[in-house]
Amino acid sequence: MNGYNFTDFNSTHEAHAYPYSASVDDPLYRQYKPPVKELIPLPKAVLYLLMAALVVVGVAYAIIGHLIKDLAIDITGTC
Protein backbone atom coordinates (compact mmCIF):
# COMPACT_ATOMS: atom_id res chain seq x y z
CA MET A 1 0.00 0.00 0.00
CA ASN A 2 1.24 3.45 -0.71
CA GLY A 3 1.24 6.11 1.94
CA TYR A 4 -0.99 8.59 0.14
CA ASN A 5 -4.49 9.35 1.30
CA PHE A 6 -6.82 10.09 -1.61
CA THR A 7 -10.09 10.17 0.31
CA ASP A 8 -10.44 13.98 0.21
CA PHE A 9 -8.83 14.48 -3.21
CA ASN A 10 -12.12 14.92 -5.10
CA SER A 11 -14.11 16.24 -2.19
CA THR A 12 -16.75 18.86 -3.02
CA HIS A 13 -17.66 19.84 0.53
CA GLU A 14 -15.83 23.16 0.90
CA ALA A 15 -13.79 23.68 -2.25
CA HIS A 16 -13.65 22.01 -5.61
CA ALA A 17 -10.64 19.87 -6.43
CA TYR A 18 -10.70 21.21 -10.00
CA PRO A 19 -11.27 24.92 -10.67
CA TYR A 20 -13.53 24.22 -13.68
CA SER A 21 -15.73 21.50 -12.25
CA ALA A 22 -19.47 21.75 -12.89
CA SER A 23 -22.39 20.59 -10.84
CA VAL A 24 -24.31 17.45 -11.70
CA ASP A 25 -27.54 19.44 -12.14
CA ASP A 26 -26.13 21.58 -14.98
CA PRO A 27 -25.10 19.41 -17.96
CA LEU A 28 -21.93 20.63 -19.58
CA TYR A 29 -22.93 20.07 -23.22
CA ARG A 30 -26.59 20.98 -23.19
CA GLN A 31 -26.43 22.81 -26.54
CA TYR A 32 -24.23 20.21 -28.25
CA LYS A 33 -25.58 18.75 -31.47
CA PRO A 34 -23.61 15.95 -33.12
CA PRO A 35 -22.45 16.64 -36.68
CA VAL A 36 -24.58 15.27 -39.49
CA LYS A 37 -23.04 12.10 -40.84
CA GLU A 38 -22.81 11.42 -44.54
CA LEU A 39 -24.89 8.66 -46.07
CA ILE A 40 -21.82 6.80 -47.29
CA PRO A 41 -18.64 8.03 -45.61
CA LEU A 42 -15.77 7.90 -48.13
CA PRO A 43 -12.30 9.39 -47.96
CA LYS A 44 -11.71 12.21 -50.42
CA ALA A 45 -9.13 10.18 -52.34
CA VAL A 46 -11.68 7.42 -53.02
CA LEU A 47 -14.26 10.00 -54.09
CA TYR A 48 -11.78 11.59 -56.50
CA LEU A 49 -10.84 8.19 -57.92
CA LEU A 50 -14.51 7.38 -58.54
CA MET A 51 -15.01 10.70 -60.29
CA ALA A 52 -11.92 10.13 -62.45
CA ALA A 53 -13.14 6.62 -63.32
CA LEU A 54 -16.51 8.04 -64.40
CA VAL A 55 -14.79 10.60 -66.63
CA VAL A 56 -12.58 7.91 -68.20
CA VAL A 57 -15.56 5.63 -68.83
CA GLY A 58 -17.53 8.52 -70.33
CA VAL A 59 -14.71 9.51 -72.66
CA ALA A 60 -14.08 5.88 -73.68
CA TYR A 61 -17.80 5.42 -74.37
CA ALA A 62 -17.82 8.52 -76.60
CA ILE A 63 -14.71 7.44 -78.52
CA ILE A 64 -15.86 3.85 -78.99
CA GLY A 65 -19.35 5.02 -79.96
CA HIS A 66 -17.87 7.29 -82.60
CA LEU A 67 -15.63 4.50 -83.92
CA ILE A 68 -18.55 2.05 -84.10
CA LYS A 69 -20.62 4.62 -85.98
CA ASP A 70 -17.77 5.15 -88.49
CA LEU A 71 -17.37 1.35 -88.84
CA ALA A 72 -21.10 0.95 -89.49
CA ILE A 73 -20.94 3.66 -92.19
CA ASP A 74 -17.92 1.93 -93.78
CA ILE A 75 -19.60 -1.48 -93.74
CA THR A 76 -22.81 -0.22 -95.34
CA GLY A 77 -20.80 1.57 -97.98
CA THR A 78 -22.61 4.85 -97.67
CA CYS A 79 -20.46 7.83 -98.44
Side-chain angles (χ1 to χ4, degrees):
M1 298 284 279
N2 54 15
Y4 299 108
N5 184 6
F6 290 114
T7 56
D8 292 331
F9 184 67
N10 288 328
S11 174
T12 58
H13 297 291
E14 294 177 10
H16 293 288
Y18 303 105
Y20 301 109
S21 62
S23 67
V24 177
D25 299 333
D26 186 28
L28 185 59
Y29 296 107
R30 186 175 359 159
Q31 300 293 328
Y32 176 74
K33 293 180 183 175
V36 178
K37 294 185 178 181
E38 298 177 9
L39 185 61
I40 301 173
L42 290 176
K44 284 188 178 181
V46 174
L47 182 63
Y48 293 150
L49 286 173
L50 286 174
M51 290 170 51
L54 286 175
V55 168
V56 168
V57 167
V59 169
Y61 179 75
I63 292 171
I64 292 173
H66 183 74
L67 290 174
I68 289 176
K69 186 171 38 168
D70 283 347
L71 181 63
I73 290 173
D74 288 343
I75 290 174
T76 57
T78 349
C79 294

